[in-house]
Amino acid sequence: MMGIGIPICVQCGTSSNPCRCKVVGPTVGFLAFAAAALVEWPVGALVYCFRHMKGRKIMAHPATVVYPSVTNSIPI
C-alpha cells in the first residue's frame, strides 16, 4: 500500500531567524505554488494561444509571485 507523502522543503542559510533554517515557510509556499499552478497554467496556456506575452505572465505568476510571497511571509 503506497500513500501520498507531504512535501517538506528546507531552506538553510537565511538570516530571517536565529536558527538560520526555514522549514514551514518553504513547505507552505510550495503547497500554495502547486494550488495556484493547477488553476493558472491551463488558463495561461489558453490565453497564450491568442496573446503570447499575457499567457507567459499568467503561467509565470505562481513561481514569481505566489511562492516567494508566501515563503517570505513565514519566518520559520
Side-chain angles (χ1 to χ4, degrees):
M1 179 184 241
M2 302 259 322
I4 297 176
I6 298 174
I8 297 178
C9 304
V10 177
Q11 180 182 5
C12 292
T14 64
S15 59
S16 63
N17 62 17
C19 298
R20 299 184 60 86
C21 282
K22 292 172 69 173
V23 177
V24 177
T27 302
V28 173
F30 175 76
L31 295 174
F33 165 81
L38 283 174
V39 175
E40 293 183 18
W41 285 350
V43 172
L46 181 65
V47 171
Y48 182 81
C49 294
F50 304 103
R51 303 214 32 214
H52 295 301
M53 289 307 297
K54 185 68 172 177
R56 287 181 181 182
K57 287 180 183 178
I58 292 171
M59 288 190 285
H61 185 262
T64 58
V65 177
V66 174
Y67 179 76
S69 63
V70 172
T71 300
N72 293 333
S73 67
I74 302 172
I76 55 172

